[in-house]
Amino acid sequence: MKQFKKLTSGFTLIELLVVLAIIGLLAGLVGPQVMKHLGSSKSKAAKVQIEDLAGALDMYRMDAGRYPSTAEGLKALVDKPADARAWNGPYLRKNNVPQDPWMYDYHYVSPGEHGSFDLYSLGGDNAPGGDGEDQDVNSWE
């Protein structure tokens, strides 16, 4: 008589439930920390973009002799305004004005209340003020 060995492989239901419980605990502990850093990284990205746009505005001023007006806006960095003299653009690498990390347009005012121009993002809620991810990011602070 031949003896048959029953080969068992795989995981038991208990082992799978233990693994799922561990994954659930890790997601509960790590998830909020990741989300907290994600919000602050968007604010940091907005600050870097504002600094880059401010540098492009300074280059525009060196060529044209003035900053773009509020009406011309940041679009003057990629398209020559009708009355701009010695425009040597486009001043942005991708030939388009980027949006902030929350996919809203940056706000530009010239002359500004805080300097030659004010350049800012209203954050995740696109409304003045706010905390955390909804906090405003600007060029003058």
Side-chain angles (χ1 to χ4, degrees):
M1 232 185 189
K2 287 186 177 179
Q3 290 184 340
F4 292 102
K5 283 187 173 179
K6 185 176 179 183
L7 296 175
T8 57
S9 62
F11 299 103
T12 66
L13 181 60
I14 299 288
E15 291 170 330
L16 289 174
L17 289 175
V18 168
V19 169
L20 288 175
I22 291 170
I23 290 173
L25 285 171
L26 287 174
L29 294 173
V30 174
Q33 296 299 320
V34 170
M35 297 308 284
K36 179 176 76 173
H37 290 292
L38 181 64
S40 68
S41 67
K42 284 187 176 185
S43 295
K44 289 176 185 174
K47 188 67 173 171
V48 168
Q49 279 185 327
I50 286 174
E51 289 172 4
D52 288 346
L53 289 169
L57 287 164
D58 288 338
M59 288 175 38
Y60 177 97
R61 192 197 74 172
M62 287 173 40
D63 291 342
R66 63 174 179 80
Y67 287 107
S69 67
T70 302
E72 293 168 337
L74 296 175
K75 193 74 174 155
L77 297 174
V78 292
D79 295 327
K80 181 180 180 181
D83 63 342
R85 13 172 223 136
W87 188 85
N88 196 23
Y91 297 93
L92 299 175
R93 288 186 197 149
K94 295 184 180 179
N95 292 339
N96 66 347
V97 179
Q99 290 184 311
D100 68 15
W102 300 278
M103 304 309 291
Y104 296 111
D105 291 333
Y106 283 102
H107 299 271
Y108 172 75
V109 179
S110 177
E113 293 179 22
H114 304 280
S116 300
F117 62 86
D118 290 350
L119 180 60
Y120 57 97
S121 166
L122 295 175
D125 62 355
N126 202 33
D131 294 323
E133 191 176 335
D134 295 336
Q135 183 177 0
D136 300 349
V137 182
N138 53 54
S139 62
W140 57 88
E141 290 179 0

